[in-house]
Amino acid sequence: MALTYDDVIAKYEPVLGLEVHVELGTESKMFCGCNTVFGAEPNTQTCPICLGLPGSLPVVNAKAIEYTIAIGLALNCSIAPYSRFARKNYFYPDMPKNFQTSQYDEPICTNGYLDVTVDTEEGPREFRIEIERVHMEEDTGKSLHMGGSTGRIHGADYSLLDYNRAGIPLVEIVTKVVTGTGKYAPEVARAYVSELRDILRGLGVSDVKMEQGSLRCDANVSLRLIGGDKLGTRSETKNVNSLRSVERAVRGEMIRHAELLNKGERVIQETRHFHEDTGLTTPGRSKEQAEDYRYFPEPDLVPVAPSSEMIEKIRATLPEKPSVRRKKLQEAWQVPDKEMAAMINADVLDLVEATVKLGADPTRARGWWLGEIARIANERGIGAAEMPITPADVAEIVSLITSGELTDKLARQVIEGVINGEGRPAEIIEKRGIKVVSDDSALMAAIEKAIAAQPDVAEKVRKGHVPAAGALIGAVMKETKGQADAAKVRELLLKHLGQA
Amino acid sequence: MDCERRWPDPKVIRARSESLGKVTFMSNISRDDVANLAKLARIDLSEEELNHLSKELSVILDAVARVQEVASADVPPTSHPLPLQNVFRVDEVRPSLTPNEALSGAPAQEEQRFKVPQILGEEQ
Amino acid sequence: MIKNSAVEMAKALNSKEISSVELTQAHLDQISKVDTDVHAFLHVDSEGALAQARDVDARRKAGEKLAPLAGVPLALKDVLVQKGIPTTCGSKMLEGWRPPYDSTVVSRLKDNGIIILGKTNMDEFAMGSSTENSAYGPTHNPWDLTRIPGGSGGGSSAALAAFEAPLAIGTDTGGSIRQPAAVTGTVGVKPTYGGVSRYGLVAFSSSLDQAGPCARTVLDAAYLHEAIGGYDRMDSTSINAPIPPVVEAAKNGNVKGMKIGVIKELQGDGYQPGVLKLFNQSLDLLASLGAEIVEVSCKYFDYALAAYYLIAPSECSSNLARFDAMRYGIRVGEGSAEEVMNATRQQGFGREVKRRIILGTYALSSGYYDAYYGSAQKVRTLISRDFEAAFSKADVLVSPTAPTTAFKIGEKANDPIAMYLNDIATIPTNLAGIGGMSIPAGLADEDGLPAGFQIMAPAMKDDRMYQVGSALEAALLSQWGKPILDNAPSLGAR
């Protein structure tokens, strides 16, 4: 019998560990001068160094160091006065040297924390996620698995390797073991990644696009009996490509672990692959046969010893924390907490801010993003940010509503058009002939027609039963193909029927 | 002139250095140990090689294990012979190889990518 | 002409006595004559060499100011990448591979107008002391073709001794430039670590490898050292400081008032008597030139060999992981990527390389790291301290370069430890990162074969080696009356 989430949290408490990889947005790669543009033709951004050709040597990208220190500072970490690169040795075709130049026992940043707020039944609650370390490493090449039916590695006949991505600077952020989240573990995990993403975006160190892989999350989950102190066996889930997936993956793994434990079976320590379509995970490599990475200090690179001047200089350039920024926006827009949380949850805060910056009224902007657009995005199973409609579009629509050239109802049609790819708002209004009919005489004609068609309803209104007017207004809207300004119609109708 | 070549005499060198202290860690590498190492190192060693290496490496390890005699806790390790640090390069784009150059050594290629046989293991 | 020094050849080129094309052709002819017997070369680039020579001749004719060694030919150890030219590192793994880029050493040679004749034979991936580990057959010592020329850079030194080139480039990780120099009667220098760029040097042991000049005279080596040395931004371990004044030092060889430190642990029992005799005779000569001979003790040197045979295999096990049949090199076997990788590495690597990879993999394994690699790194510190202390008592330190003269091909091939012991005197310098030079000390009584005198200097004080080496070389020459190589048998005579 399948367990419900409530069943799970009644008996067990979850323990999390989150590993986030960020691709830094530097101009050139971590150890060589190759370009880092996303989507370039295969193997056009490679050189002897990132291809690992015999004889090649790495040289560290200064900007990558600065960015990593900035990340560490933003996460309240200590910056190591002395840190080193190490080789992580294992074989895989997407790794040109068959070792990854990374950091091991001397990472550049350690012991930080990030506070996140999650909406709970008892109101917003703050959780502190402790950060074990932030370190630098290099990304691998990309493989295309050919011949199989799914494009995934299982069942493929051969693979094609593109090393454009190999050597792009990667920062790994590892949390300490996260306990005490209880039933909110999935939300906390999601909030953590979301907050982290906002910080990284704010620092300008990465474009943090989860869909493009510049922000990747691996979620480690284990369960223990409530009140127990021994940690359960954990599983690691990869291929978590969106905030929503983070939440679903954690929840899914909690249920899966509980089902096993309830049956008396044990959880296998392994890496699992998350599937967007089902929300479930399937096993990958068994971590019990974990490779021995044989870490040793990278002899081709010398230690990194950032001076305190350098660190303070970077600290001085740190932008305002997202939580501070959010508080300011909340005050400026006069938004209640619940609405604020809703915007953050629906991941539309940045979009709303961008829309407001273009001149739109904050409340209207919020209304459209949280309402119509988020609704359609949900239906399609994507995030509002991925919808083919921009803050500029929404700002334009809001201004047209304000000036009376659009009604809310008509605006919805325009939004539909933009999302369907018919063009920008102005073009759609033109093409579809959308026009608010607010010309009194035209409206009166329609009103009189409606009254004539429903005389008994009109009589009711004359007699003081104002709500009945709704039917007549509806008829007028139908007659005018929705282009009438409903508020105006109501005004004129009631006046006409002596109820103004 | 052809002489019995006896230099350097391992016994002589050994005797001199053994006077500095006894070896504390005796190493014995079995054929199975070698097989596991070969797996880690991705080399398909033959059975004969596995057995042979087991003997050879045991002897070599026995000889090199003596580093433990003097590697006390208060001696820091050297990983770089020179006291260099903070060697960086400016974040600027420099010319890459052309795809032809990059793929010039490829045993197989397709669509401007390196073609490799079916990969069994999972990505890390 | 081919028996002259590079400096003499450069003079002749400058005075237009001979053109670079003629000089290059003369060497190509010598290669054709003797290399079937010596097998110093894996690849001879006649076309490329002559084209380079033509270019230099044209520039000289046009009155362009050229570098001191412009137009002089050179043999390049096959471990350095040269664009478009086969680079094998003495291994089947890279058979047929033509790199798409030049190593910094090669770029600098080209900038200096030095003519690269071809790539020389070596122990596979620089692992060995005899060049018997080459997948393409051994090189034969020009002094006695049944003997080894030393290793791993036997090809480069043999080419010099056989007059196939006046200059050569070698690489030295545990003695691979110096020991071949010693057993072939030539000069070989390992600069201070970081003194010559490693960009394009196929890595064996990254914290020990160093490329260096090889020649028949100390002054030739000095000029070559200046041509290839210096800071390189492509190598993070490159020293950002001017090259020590090696040419000046070589020109002004003088040991008056210098303290020469004899390392107690690098002589005595275990060294061939004839080799020790030559060493002591050289010490006497130096004393007669005004140097003060002092004895120093470096007690941790007895652990150097052990530390080296942990560090080098460990680093190499990682450096050689890239050879996996996916991007370059040979590919053998059927089945999955993993199966092809395993089969290719089995067939592509020779015995010594496989031995060291397995040893290195073990030494780095979790659970064993501290006992082996970790401990070896500590020994390194102790050896550096020994050198520091010794250098406080002496300006340079000296020893015989190698314990024996050239042994017969096949004699030590089945005894790895006996083979490793060839590097016992050279390894400490690599571990400490300081410079070492070998110059011919004479011919050993027992067998009439060359032995080398090793000079070591503090880090970045390479000029001292050249100063002492040049003084000793001149004194020995005046004692012998003729260059040592005049005693070598004539080759190619049929």
Side-chain angles (χ1 to χ4, degrees):
Chain A
M1 237 256 320
L3 289 178
T4 66
Y5 188 70
D6 286 335
D7 293 335
V8 175
I9 54 157
K11 190 170 172 187
Y12 300 101
E13 63 179 12
V15 172
L16 300 176
L18 297 159
E19 284 161 28
V20 172
H21 282 90
V22 189
E23 254 184 19
L24 295 182
T26 51
E27 295 289 317
S28 61
K29 293 186 180 182
M30 184 72 210
F31 300 117
C32 67
C34 286
N35 210 335
T36 54
V37 167
F38 180 79
E41 286 296 299
N43 293 305
T44 53
Q45 292 174 177
T46 63
C47 75
I49 299 164
C50 54
L51 281 175
L53 294 188
S56 60
L57 293 174
V59 183
V60 175
N61 183 331
K63 204 142 222 107
I65 302 284
E66 282 170 40
Y67 281 1
T68 308
I69 292 175
I71 294 172
L73 290 173
L75 294 176
N76 308 295
C77 293
S78 311
I79 309 299
Y82 183 88
S83 82
R84 275 204 295 208
F85 286 93
R87 291 192 186 178
K88 181 180 182 182
N89 297 285
Y90 66 96
F91 286 79
Y92 203 78
D94 67 2
M95 275 209 316
K97 299 173 291 193
N98 284 319
F99 64 80
Q100 183 191 40
T101 302
S102 174
Q103 293 192 293
Y104 180 55
D105 54 356
E106 286 164 296
I108 188 163
C109 316
T110 53
N111 289 324
Y113 62 86
L114 181 58
D115 293 328
V116 301
T117 309
V118 165
D119 216 13
T120 70
E121 283 161 2
E122 305 85 44
R125 214 175 109 190
E126 210 177 70
F127 291 88
R128 172 160 290 192
I129 314 290
E130 294 196 341
I131 304 220
E132 174 81 44
R133 55 190 275 150
V134 176
H135 72 248
M136 292 177 288
E137 49 188 46
E138 50 178 348
D139 212 343
T140 62
K142 250 197 225 166
S143 8
L144 273 183
H145 305 300
M146 312 291 283
S149 53
T150 61
R152 278 205 62 224
I153 197 171
H154 299 303
D157 290 329
Y158 61 96
S159 301
L160 297 177
L161 271 308
D162 168 20
Y163 294 102
N164 282 352
R165 196 182 67 180
I168 287 191
L170 220 53
V171 165
E172 183 171 347
I173 303 166
V174 184
T175 66
K176 295 197 184 166
V177 166
V178 182
T179 56
T181 56
K183 70 182 191 189
Y184 295 108
E187 287 82 355
V188 171
R190 184 204 168 119
Y192 170 74
V193 179
S194 172
E195 185 70 17
L196 194 55
R197 195 187 60 171
D198 281 353
I199 288 177
L200 295 166
R201 195 185 283 138
L203 288 174
V205 299
S206 171
D207 62 13
V208 284
K209 291 192 175 142
M210 286 184 86
E211 342 74 67
Q212 275 183 11
S214 49
L215 183 72
R216 299 168 216 162
C217 177
D218 297 338
N220 291 279
V221 178
S222 73
L223 290 181
R224 63 181 172 196
L225 290 170
I226 293 184
D229 53 357
K230 206 173 142 221
L231 288 175
T233 308
R234 67 183 169 91
S235 62
E236 181 186 18
T237 301
K238 286 183 172 300
N239 194 45
V240 181
N241 295 334
S242 68
L243 290 178
R244 209 161 142 248
S245 298
V246 171
E247 201 180 317
R248 291 168 76 209
V250 170
R251 184 173 289 119
E253 278 300 279
M254 284 170 66
I255 295 175
R256 188 182 68 83
H257 282 217
E259 280 174 354
L260 286 170
L261 293 170
N262 279 1
K263 279 194 265 180
E265 288 171 34
R266 68 181 188 104
V267 175
I268 300 173
Q269 186 178 345
E270 61 185 348
T271 300
R272 296 181 72 89
H273 187 95
F274 179 74
H275 297 269
E276 286 284 337
D277 44 359
T278 59
L280 301 173
T281 62
T282 50
R285 242 174 345 117
S286 174
K287 217 156 187 166
E288 275 164 340
Q289 285 153 37
E291 285 246 4
D292 176 0
Y293 294 122
R294 290 156 280 136
Y295 284 100
F296 69 101
E298 170 61 80
D300 290 331
L301 292 174
V302 297
V304 174
S307 64
S308 42
E309 286 89 27
M310 182 197 191
I311 296 171
E312 291 319 306
K313 200 161 152 211
I314 294 171
R315 198 195 299 273
T317 65
L318 291 182
E320 148 187 282
K321 276 194 184 329
S323 51
V324 171
R325 170 181 153 254
R326 283 197 294 265
K327 274 208 169 55
K328 284 192 180 162
L329 287 177
Q330 188 172 2
E331 270 185 45
W333 298 344
Q334 293 286 295
V335 181
D337 283 345
K338 239 190 152 62
E339 294 277 330
M340 204 65 201
M343 272 195 283
I344 292 166
N345 240 358
D347 204 18
V348 297
L349 186 63
D350 290 339
L351 295 162
V352 173
E353 193 192 8
T355 310
V356 171
K357 276 214 175 95
L358 292 166
D361 169 70
T363 313
R364 283 196 196 271
R366 182 176 90 236
W368 286 112
W369 282 107
L370 257 188
E372 187 70 7
I373 300 171
R375 182 184 67 77
I376 301 175
N378 236 357
E379 266 170 27
R380 297 186 181 189
I382 58 175
E386 295 158 69
M387 293 285 280
I389 181 167
T390 67
D393 295 327
V394 176
E396 199 185 326
I397 292 168
V398 167
S399 87
L400 288 172
I401 295 173
T402 313
S403 67
E405 285 164 72
L406 280 181
T407 60
D408 279 357
K409 195 163 171 167
L410 291 176
R412 238 171 257 131
Q413 286 183 33
V414 177
I415 286 174
E416 185 194 24
V418 172
I419 289 172
N420 283 343
E422 291 167 35
R424 303 270 68 80
E427 297 168 275
I428 291 164
I429 287 170
E430 171 96 29
K431 269 195 246 170
R432 290 199 188 188
I434 293 174
K435 212 171 23 144
V436 175
V437 180
S438 51
D439 170 22
D440 283 14
S441 49
L443 288 178
M444 281 313 298
I447 289 171
E448 273 157 19
K449 195 167 172 192
I451 292 172
Q454 298 183 71
D456 39 328
V457 177
E459 195 48 45
K460 274 200 191 141
V461 178
R462 275 195 203 95
K463 290 234 168 85
H465 192 61
V466 173
L472 294 169
I473 296 171
V476 173
M477 295 305 292
K478 200 155 169 218
E479 176 68 21
T480 59
K481 295 190 179 54
Q483 292 185 358
D485 181 345
K488 197 99 206 332
V489 169
R490 189 187 161 82
E491 191 194 317
L492 290 171
L493 176 68
L494 291 178
K495 198 161 158 200
H496 188 68
L497 296 175
Q499 293 302 324
Chain B
M1 205 174 119
D2 211 14
C3 332
E4 248 306 307
R5 203 48 63 84
R6 277 275 139 231
W7 312 280
D9 187 342
K11 281 208 280 274
V12 173
I13 306 248
R14 217 358 168 347
R16 184 154 36 100
S17 45
E18 242 152 45
S19 67
L20 287 170
K22 280 261 159 245
V23 176
T24 47
F25 194 118
M26 291 304 282
S27 6
N28 211 322
I29 293 199
S30 69
R31 173 229 170 269
D32 285 347
D33 290 335
V34 180
N36 284 334
L37 292 168
K39 227 179 184 173
L40 270 181
R42 298 295 191 273
I43 306 177
D44 217 358
L45 292 175
S46 69
E47 194 57 39
E48 186 253 326
E49 280 171 314
L50 289 174
N51 288 312
H52 200 68
L53 273 173
S54 157
K55 293 197 201 78
E56 273 180 354
L57 291 178
S58 295
V59 172
I60 295 175
L61 274 176
D62 205 26
V64 301
R66 58 202 318 270
V67 292
Q68 293 156 40
E69 289 165 25
V70 292
S72 49
D74 60 322
V75 179
T78 296
S79 50
H80 288 104
L82 304 171
L84 287 174
Q85 52 187 31
N86 292 334
V87 174
F88 303 134
R89 42 168 264 276
V90 173
D91 181 29
E92 60 184 15
V93 175
R94 302 194 130 251
S96 294
L97 290 175
T98 65
N100 270 347
E101 288 174 321
L103 290 155
S104 60
Q109 53 179 287
E110 189 179 288
E111 286 175 32
Q112 206 165 278
R113 291 177 171 88
F114 293 84
K115 183 174 174 185
V116 309
Q118 182 194 35
I119 302 171
L120 292 180
E122 192 70 62
E123 288 160 57
Q124 303 246 351
Chain C
M1 179 46 55
I2 60 171
K3 296 219 169 178
N4 288 357
S5 71
V7 166
E8 286 166 340
M9 291 182 198
K11 218 189 202 141
L13 286 168
N14 259 321
S15 62
K16 311 268 170 59
E17 256 174 72
I18 188 172
S19 71
S20 181
V21 168
E22 287 168 320
L23 187 59
T24 303
Q25 189 60 60
H27 284 95
L28 291 169
D29 291 342
Q30 177 69 357
I31 293 171
S32 305
K33 184 171 166 209
V34 307
D35 212 52
T36 321
D37 291 334
V38 177
H39 192 226
F41 283 87
L42 289 177
H43 179 86
V44 178
D45 180 25
S46 324
E47 230 180 86
L50 288 168
Q52 288 170 55
R54 276 192 295 271
D55 179 66
V56 173
D57 283 340
R59 283 157 57 200
R60 198 187 302 271
K61 194 158 176 207
E64 222 181 280
K65 179 150 195 280
L66 299 170
L69 293 173
V72 179
L74 170 145
L76 184 70
K77 186 174 180 183
D78 205 18
V79 74
L80 287 148
V81 301
Q82 185 179 352
K83 187 170 176 178
I85 301 290
T87 298
T88 68
C89 304
S91 178
K92 275 276 181 274
M93 186 62 89
L94 285 176
E95 189 166 29
W97 184 56
R98 288 176 190 256
Y101 78 108
D102 273 333
S103 53
T104 297
V105 166
V106 167
S107 302
R108 291 188 180 175
L109 289 172
K110 288 182 180 175
D111 287 344
N112 274 268
I114 295 172
I115 314 297
I116 303 174
L117 293 168
K119 313 302 283 304
T120 56
N121 200 11
M122 51 184 283
D123 280 304
E124 187 180 3
F125 287 113
M127 299 184 216
S129 311
S130 64
T131 311
E132 291 172 287
N133 294 329
S134 168
Y136 300 98
T139 295
H140 302 258
N141 194 322
W143 286 82
D144 176 343
L145 295 171
T146 67
R147 294 180 186 269
I148 54 101
S152 61
S156 281
S157 296
L160 292 168
F163 302 102
E164 294 172 284
L167 298 168
I169 299 287
T171 65
D172 190 309
T173 305
S176 296
I177 286 178
R178 291 163 285 162
Q179 185 254 10
V183 302
T184 56
T186 58
V187 174
V189 180
K190 183 201 88 70
T192 298
Y193 181 86
V196 177
S197 170
R198 286 186 304 117
Y199 185 72
L201 198 183
V202 179
F204 155 30
S205 181
S206 315
S207 71
L208 303 171
D209 292 342
Q210 210 23 213
C214 309
R216 293 189 288 263
T217 71
V218 172
L219 185 58
D220 282 357
Y223 273 108
L224 187 51
H225 190 144
E226 277 192 7
I228 60 172
Y231 174 65
D232 182 16
R233 64 174 177 78
M234 301 297 283
D235 176 354
S236 299
T237 59
S238 170
I239 298 174
N240 196 349
I243 306 169
V246 295
V247 169
E248 205 186 299
K251 282 184 177 165
N252 301 305
N254 177 13
V255 297
K256 237 200 203 97
M258 281 186 91
K259 288 208 174 83
I260 314 270
V262 176
I263 302 177
K264 192 171 110 191
E265 288 76 11
L266 295 184
Q267 52 175 332
D269 287 342
Y271 285 70
Q272 182 179 334
V275 169
L276 284 177
K277 185 172 170 193
L278 288 169
F279 175 67
N280 287 312
Q281 282 174 353
S282 296
L283 286 179
D284 291 340
L285 252 186
L286 286 169
S288 75
L289 291 171
E292 189 191 330
I293 314 294
V294 300
E295 195 183 68
V296 296
S297 173
C298 296
K299 70 174 193 214
Y300 290 109
F301 278 23
D302 282 337
Y303 294 88
L305 201 64
Y308 176 83
Y309 279 103
L310 281 169
I311 293 169
S314 297
E315 292 185 355
C316 104
S317 70
S318 177
N319 283 326
L320 266 56
R322 69 193 65 208
F323 298 105
D324 64 1
M326 302 291 127
R327 289 162 295 283
Y328 43 81
I330 61 169
R331 178 185 282 185
V332 305
E334 301 277 302
S336 67
E338 289 82 357
E339 286 170 303
V340 165
M341 222 187 263
N342 291 356
T344 302
R345 289 165 67 78
Q346 163 66 345
Q347 272 200 45
F349 289 142
R351 271 180 68 166
E352 184 62 37
V353 169
K354 283 191 276 194
R355 182 184 293 130
R356 294 198 197 190
I357 289 176
I358 298 295
L359 178 57
T361 305
Y362 181 80
L364 289 174
S365 298
S366 94
Y368 297 107
Y369 180 97
D370 287 327
Y372 292 111
Y373 186 78
S375 297
Q377 295 287 50
K378 292 186 173 196
V379 170
R380 242 180 134 157
T381 305
L382 295 169
I383 287 172
S384 291
R385 288 180 185 170
D386 269 353
F387 269 123
E388 249 180 77
F391 279 124
S392 69
K393 303 199 183 100
D395 299 305
V396 296
L397 301 172
V398 297
S399 78
T401 306
T404 71
T405 54
F407 46 89
K408 289 244 187 237
I409 292 174
E411 188 180 319
K412 299 193 183 178
N414 289 315
D415 188 351
I417 293 206
M419 188 65 84
Y420 296 165
L421 286 165
N422 285 302
D423 293 327
I424 202 159
T426 45
I427 274 173
T429 50
N430 299 85
L431 290 172
I434 64 171
M437 165 191 282
S438 178
I439 70 165
L443 303 175
D445 282 345
E446 300 95 339
D447 45 37
L449 292 169
F453 184 88
Q454 176 175 229
I455 306 162
M456 296 163 266
M460 297 194 270
K461 297 261 185 279
D462 298 20
D463 49 302
R464 284 192 204 170
M465 300 190 289
Y466 285 91
Q467 185 181 340
V468 175
S470 148
L472 181 58
E473 177 189 58
L476 285 169
L477 184 59
S478 91
Q479 233 180 44
W480 299 333
K482 57 180 178 174
I484 191 174
L485 280 165
D486 277 9
N487 297 295
S490 220
L491 295 170
R494 293 247 178 265

